[in-house]
Amino acid sequence: MNKLALAVTLALATAAHAQGADAPRPLGYTRVADALAALQKAPDARITHPDGWTVITVPKPELAVWSFVPREHDAYPAVVRRLIRKTDKGTFVEMKVL
């Protein structure tokens, strides 16, 4: 197999693997305000306000903890999503920030 064919094969295999069950989950929102508004309406969401932060925990389909920065914080507006993922390789925390 020549080098180009090998490179293409490896690239395709990597892309196929990245789209599998272990692939990172998209955040699902492009604006912090949209995420907050949608999650506040989720029927199974648990909302708390520790130290001025808005923390929304959504148990399904995978446990997700969304932490919204308070208005007074230098990082406002921002949100951090921690997704607790169980795979055949173990349990992992996937974090995304917007």
Side-chain angles (χ1 to χ4, degrees):
M1 182 181 293
N2 68 36
K3 288 181 183 180
L4 178 59
L6 179 60
V8 169
T9 301
L10 288 173
L12 291 174
T14 301
H17 175 72
Q19 293 175 5
D22 295 345
R25 301 291 194 263
L27 198 58
Y29 304 97
T30 56
R31 294 184 42 218
V32 174
D34 294 342
L36 180 61
L39 292 166
Q40 286 175 325
K41 294 176 186 173
D44 56 348
R46 184 173 150 254
I47 303 171
T48 60
H49 299 281
D51 297 322
W53 289 66
T54 298
V55 177
I56 302 177
T57 305
V58 182
K60 296 179 182 176
E62 294 172 305
L63 178 62
V65 179
W66 296 77
S67 301
F68 292 85
V69 174
R71 285 189 187 272
E72 313 77 50
H73 196 283
D74 291 340
Y76 181 85
V79 62
V80 176
R81 181 197 69 191
R82 290 171 192 86
L83 189 61
I84 313 306
R85 301 196 52 207
K86 294 182 181 185
T87 71
D88 58 345
K89 296 175 186 161
T91 302
F92 302 91
V93 177
E94 176 185 303
M95 187 168 73
K96 290 198 178 265
V97 179
L98 174 64

